[in-house]
């Protein structure tokens, strides 16, 4: 296949932003104005708040601690930060979050992180190692993720890419992506579309429409396909229509950095 | 009418060895002072229940109070791992810790069933995940009306639930606001309940978004100013983010942790006895 863009990294001056900043901004750009977005703390919250300050002022942020329409002026330090409640359209109990708002499909986009992600977008945040009872590493666990992954209309995963975290098969399925391939979600009765975007510090992967396998569709500036392959634990397929992410604009970077600084 | 008691008496009378105990508060209003009091009183073999076992349960687990944990997310929010929790799960230190693991939706629904007096709850959850394989309290049930297969989870009915709220009046009516999490459900699901409050007042002034638990639905109320620290109490104090980072350095090492129990938890108890001050001061 012939990729549509150069697959080697452009040489030249070092960019004036980090790969994490590129990832946050790429994730922010993916959020359309007016969408209702279920947000976790960390990269998802950063991205959603950058989006709200740039192209998507009408983005509705929903935090699992029980806030609908939070408009924080700083990045919340935790899911329970008071600023989320004080700036929300409504504050609700946690059972209501999951039962009334998430489960019936009222939320457009679920934003999730992952400790491990596999080629079909399944997510592990529970244990590393084959033995659940005697894990190599005990991770925090599920939180809201399994039902976010099931019931949001679509899911965006934001995660730093490495061969250790991007694995052929996750050690534990905490949250279902596309199962073992196309059709699995429908067979399981999962109402949402599952992961439609995986945004990393190297590029963007999307599920192949035929097989649901994650395919590299977009490279961030300065990143080569081989860099992404080296950071992927399965034989990564590359889209015929590979594109190059636009570098962050000055406005995007300053929005992101102002938010980060205000939250120190 | 709820009894107004000291924190020492409240924990002493309501929390017993071997109990199923829920401390709730979803990152806000976490009953930390009560958690330290349970450590001071040396409770053992507890089954600890909490959606988000963060540092309050890291402390109880590290101190050897728990034999089992029922939870849905165990981490130090915004910082990283719970080292005492991990040490207990991975190395059985200081005692083995059995775990029963759910999702937030599952835990929230288990409390709702418990508060509703029902044996179980149904939800569209867990489907396709590996959780049901390892958690015996997730089963499948067919809807008698539509035929849809749904997840069923049993009610949580703790022996005692402990929450922290902003205020109570002298009759023991409890008032809380801001993020109220699953606290109401945890109290209503429990056989006994202890509510620690920032202050006991003559009259509860209404607050926007308040939840009120009537005195007859609460067993005991104890005044514990700053009792949610290092989490926060909206309207009273902010979250102490530095403490969560500090906890990482304490929890990481067994001996450092033991020193913390000795110097910060047990010493706090001696100071309280000496001055008659029930306030939890770190």
């Amino acid at each position: 296949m012939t990729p549509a863009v150069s697959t080697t990294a452009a040489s030249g001056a070092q960019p004036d932003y980090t790969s994490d900043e590129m990832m946050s901004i790429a994730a922010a750009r993916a959020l359309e104005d007016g969408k209702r977005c279920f947000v976790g703390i960390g990269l998802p919250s950063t991205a959603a708040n950058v989006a709200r300050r740039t192209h998507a002022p009408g983005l509705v942020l929903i935090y699992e601690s029980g806030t609908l329409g939070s408009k924080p002026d700083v990045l919340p330090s935790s899911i329970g930060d008071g600023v989320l409640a004080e700036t929300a359209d409504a504050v609700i109990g946690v059972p209501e979050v999951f039962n009334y708002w998430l489960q019936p499909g009222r939320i457009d986009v679920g934003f999730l992180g992952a400790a491990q992600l596999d080629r079909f977008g399944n997510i592990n945040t529970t244990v590393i190692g084959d033995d659940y009872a005697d894990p190599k590493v005990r991770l925090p666990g599920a939180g809201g993720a399994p039902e976010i992954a099931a019931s949001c209309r679509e899911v965006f995963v934001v995660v730093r890419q490495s061969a250790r975290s991007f694995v052929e098969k996750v050690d534990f399925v905490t949250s279902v992506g596309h199962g073992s391939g196309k059709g699995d979600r429908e067979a399981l009765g999962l109402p949402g579309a599952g992961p439609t975007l995986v945004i990393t510090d190297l590029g963007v992967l999307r599920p192949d429409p035929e097989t649901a396998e994650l395919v590299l569709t977009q490279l961030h500036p300065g990143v080569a396909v081989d860099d992404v392959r080296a950071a992927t634990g399965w034989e990564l397929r590359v889209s015929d229509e590979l594109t190059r992410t636009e570098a962050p604009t000055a406005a995007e970077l300053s929005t992101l950095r102002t938010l980060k600084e205000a939250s120190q | 009418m709820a009894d107004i008691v000291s924190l020492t008496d409240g924990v002493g009378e309501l929390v017993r060895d071997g109990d199923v105990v829920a401390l709730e508060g979803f990152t806000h209003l976490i009953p930390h002072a009560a958690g330290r009091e349970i450590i001071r009183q040396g409770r053992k073999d507890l089954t600890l229940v909490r959606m988000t076992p963060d540092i309050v349960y890291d402390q109880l687990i590290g101190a050897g109070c728990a034999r089992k944990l029922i939870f849905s997310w165990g981490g130090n929010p915004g910082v990283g791992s719970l080292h005492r929790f991990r040490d207990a799960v991975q190395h059985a230190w200081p005692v083995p810790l059995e775990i029963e693991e759910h999702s937030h939706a599952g835990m929230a629904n288990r409390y709702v069933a418990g508060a509703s007096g029902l044996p179980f709850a149904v939800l569209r959850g867990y489907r396709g995940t590996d959780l049901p394989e390892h958690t015996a309290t997730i089963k499948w049930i067919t809807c008698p009306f539509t035929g849809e297969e749904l997840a069923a989870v049993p009610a949580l009915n703790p022996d005692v639930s402990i929450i922290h709220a902003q205020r109570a009046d002298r009759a023991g009516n409890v008032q809380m606001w801001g993020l109220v999490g699953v606290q109401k459900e945890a109290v209503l699901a429990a056989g006994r309940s202890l509510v620690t409050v920032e202050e006991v007042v003559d009259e509860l002034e209404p607050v926007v978004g308040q939840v009120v638990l009537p005195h007859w639905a609460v067993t005991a109320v104890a005044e514990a100013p700053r009792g949610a620290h290092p989490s926060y109490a909206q309207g009273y104090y902010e979250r102490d983010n530095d403490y969560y980072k500090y906890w990482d350095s304490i929890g990481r090492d067994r001996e450092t942790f033991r020193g913390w129990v000795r110097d910060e938890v047990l010493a706090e108890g001696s100071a309280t006895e000496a001055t008659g001050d029930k306030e939890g001061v770190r």
Side-chain angles (χ1 to χ4, degrees), chain B residues 68 179 220 267:
Chain B
K68 181 174 178 182
L179 298 171

Side-chain angles (χ1 to χ4, degrees), chain B residues 67-278:
Chain B
R67 59 162 287 273
K68 181 174 178 182
L69 176 68
I70 301 175
F71 75 111
S72 41
W73 189 90
N76 182 344
V79 178
S81 295
L82 294 178
H83 301 291
R84 295 298 93 231
F85 162 60
R86 272 171 73 154
D87 203 13
V89 172
Q90 294 176 219
H91 308 115
W93 193 94
V95 291
L97 183 73
E98 185 188 340
I99 59 172
E100 180 177 324
E101 187 165 8
H102 280 267
S103 66
H104 280 349
M107 285 292 283
N109 276 290
R110 294 188 68 185
Y111 278 122
V112 169
S116 308
L118 289 171
F120 69 96
V122 293
L123 68 153
R124 196 177 286 120
Y126 299 109
R127 173 73 64 197
T129 76
D130 285 341
L131 283 162
E133 189 187 323
H134 299 282
T135 302
T137 47
I138 304 167
K139 295 193 183 298
W140 305 103
I141 188 167
T142 304
C143 169
F145 305 104
T146 64
E148 182 179 358
E149 197 176 57
L150 296 159
V153 288
L156 272 170
N157 291 109
D159 293 309
V160 56
S161 286
I162 303 178
I163 65 167
H164 188 75
Q166 280 96 342
R167 292 200 284 244
D169 65 17
R170 297 190 195 285
N173 294 297
V174 170
Q175 181 191 38
M176 58 184 164
W177 64 89
L179 298 171
V180 291
V182 75
Q183 287 99 305
K184 178 170 70 179
E185 289 79 6
V187 166
L188 296 181
R192 306 181 292 275
S193 56
L194 172 64
V195 182
T196 58
V197 294
E198 287 299 317
E199 56 180 338
V200 175
V201 297
D202 290 331
E203 199 163 333
L204 297 175
E205 292 286 332
V207 175
V208 172
Q210 70 181 10
V211 169
V212 172
L213 291 169
H215 64 85
W216 47 271
V218 172
T219 312
V221 169
E223 206 171 43
R226 292 190 65 77
H229 177 271
S231 78
Y232 72 107
Q234 193 154 332
Y236 285 79
Y237 46 91
E238 296 291 317
R239 189 174 190 264
D240 184 354
N241 291 318
D242 289 341
Y243 190 99
Y244 286 80
K245 292 174 198 148
Y246 159 80
W247 184 254
D248 191 75
S249 69
I250 300 299
R252 195 172 279 278
D253 178 76
R254 291 175 182 175
E255 286 315 309
T256 312
F257 172 77
R258 279 183 162 145
W260 174 85
V261 171
R262 186 183 59 238
D263 299 340
E264 307 268 341
V265 181
L266 302 182
E268 177 188 357
S270 316
T272 302
E273 280 163 28
T275 61
D277 178 5
K278 295 180 201 77

Side-chain angles (χ1 to χ4, degrees), chain A residues 64 67 77 79-82 86 91 94 98-99 103 126 132 136-138 140 142-144 147 172-174 176 188, chain B residues 27 72-74 86 90 99 101 103-105 109 123-130 134 178-179 181 232 234 239 241:
Chain A
E64 68 187 6
T67 71
S77 56
I79 195 81
D81 200 311
E86 287 157 10
V91 178
V94 165
F98 290 98
N99 288 349
Q103 188 163 262
T126 303
Y132 174 79
K136 281 194 199 128
V137 182
R138 175 65 230 191
E147 285 76 26
F172 189 101
V173 179
T174 312
V176 180
L188 287 166
Chain B
T27 71
S72 41
W73 189 90
R86 272 171 73 154
Q90 294 176 219
I99 59 172
E101 187 165 8
S103 66
H104 280 349
N109 276 290
L123 68 153
R124 196 177 286 120
Y126 299 109
R127 173 73 64 197
T129 76
D130 285 341
H134 299 282
L179 298 171
Y232 72 107
Q234 193 154 332
R239 189 174 190 264
N241 291 318

Side-chain angles (χ1 to χ4, degrees), chain A residues 15-239:
Chain A
D16 58 355
Y17 54 87
T18 67
S19 56
D20 269 6
E21 286 176 331
M22 181 71 258
M23 171 167 55
S24 298
I25 287 167
R29 287 174 186 165
L31 293 167
E32 289 172 42
D33 197 15
K35 293 278 187 183
R36 295 166 296 222
C37 182
F38 206 109
V39 186
I41 293 299
L43 289 166
S45 176
T46 304
N49 281 292
V50 169
R52 215 172 54 74
R53 277 171 180 69
T54 51
H55 65 281
L59 191 68
V60 179
L61 308 191
I62 296 156
Y63 288 83
E64 68 187 6
S65 46
T67 71
L68 304 178
S70 290
K71 295 165 276 292
D73 50 3
V74 294
L75 292 176
S77 56
S78 84
I79 195 81
D81 200 311
V83 72
L84 298 177
E86 287 157 10
T87 63
D89 296 330
V91 178
I92 57 179
V94 165
E96 194 180 319
V97 173
F98 290 98
N99 288 349
Y100 294 178
W101 300 91
L102 178 62
Q103 188 163 262
R106 292 185 215 282
I107 302 180
D108 297 307
V109 179
F111 234 137
L112 294 175
Q116 274 187 336
L117 181 85
D118 71 21
R119 71 195 295 162
F120 292 106
N122 302 298
I123 290 171
N124 176 14
T125 56
T126 303
V127 288
I128 302 292
D130 295 334
D131 187 356
Y132 174 79
D134 184 18
K136 281 194 199 128
V137 182
R138 175 65 230 191
L139 300 167
E147 285 76 26
I148 293 171
S151 292
C152 286
R153 292 187 186 170
E154 59 184 327
V155 171
F156 298 168
V157 184
V158 195
V159 58
R160 291 185 193 99
Q161 192 159 358
S162 74
R164 215 163 48 112
S165 56
F166 277 55
V167 296
E168 173 74 34
K169 196 168 185 328
V170 287
D171 293 341
F172 189 101
V173 179
T174 312
S175 305
V176 180
H178 298 286
S180 52
K182 186 76 181 167
D184 261 21
R185 288 188 67 91
E186 292 81 352
L188 287 166
L190 302 177
T196 53
L197 275 181
V198 175
I199 299 151
T200 83
D201 49 344
L202 301 177
V204 177
L205 295 82
R206 290 182 175 83
D208 181 308
E210 304 296 318
T211 65
E213 177 182 336
L214 292 176
V215 173
L216 180 67
T217 59
Q218 195 175 323
L219 279 173
H220 294 332
V223 178
V225 165
D226 284 347
D227 298 335
V228 188
R229 285 213 163 100
T232 308
W234 69 83
E235 204 169 310
L236 179 69
R237 287 182 49 221
V238 179
S239 166

